[in-house]
């Protein structure tokens, strides 16, 4: 729903230069609203980087019918709190929460 309002996460194109993002790229800027390519990542101060971004990409870009219990159960528990923290920061910026 938030994607339809223009508030969805951008994992497919660099938010600065608009080049396609490689799947293994794990750079994200909340201030710029999306992923950054390796060339642009050094240009921002608020860079998020981590394994949790890879998991979020799989969950966000994956087809819902392909996400099964076996796949979800392989996600390390500590990454859930990192994902929750990231989403709270992202949506508090864009929804003024």
């Amino acid at each position: 729903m938030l994607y339809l309002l223009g508030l969805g996460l951008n994992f497919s194109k660099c938010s600065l230069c608009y080049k396609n993002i490689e799947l293994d790229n794990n750079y994200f800027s909340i201030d710029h609203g999306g992923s950054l390519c390796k060339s642009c990542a050094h240009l921002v101060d608020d860079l998020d980087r981590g394994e949790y971004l890879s998991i979020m990409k799989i969950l966000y870009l994956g087809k819902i019918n392909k996400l099964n219990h076996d796949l979800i159960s392989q996600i390390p528990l500590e990454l859930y709190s990192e994902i929750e923290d990231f989403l709270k920061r992202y949506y508090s910026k864009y929804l003024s929460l």
Side-chain angles (χ1 to χ4, degrees), residues 19-88:
K19 290 181 186 172
N20 288 334
I21 294 289
E22 298 171 16
L23 189 58
D24 66 343
N25 182 58
N26 287 328
Y27 303 102
F28 197 97
S29 168
I30 290 176
D31 284 345
H32 291 86
S35 292
L36 300 172
C37 68
K38 292 176 184 175
S39 300
C40 294
H42 73 281
L43 300 173
V44 302
D45 295 328
D46 72 316
L47 194 64
D48 271 282
R49 188 165 186 217
E51 185 181 359
Y52 67 95
L53 290 171
S54 295
I55 302 299
M56 287 178 57
K57 271 191 251 187
I58 291 168
L59 296 174
Y60 193 78
L61 298 174
K63 297 195 182 291
I64 199 76
N65 61 344
K66 301 279 185 192
L67 299 176
N68 60 40
H69 181 271
D70 292 335
L71 177 67
I72 301 294
S73 66
Q74 292 178 30
I75 299 171
L77 290 177
E78 63 271 8
L79 292 183
Y80 283 106
S81 62
E82 291 180 41
I83 290 170
E84 181 181 21
D85 175 63
F86 172 85
L87 290 173
K88 281 181 182 176

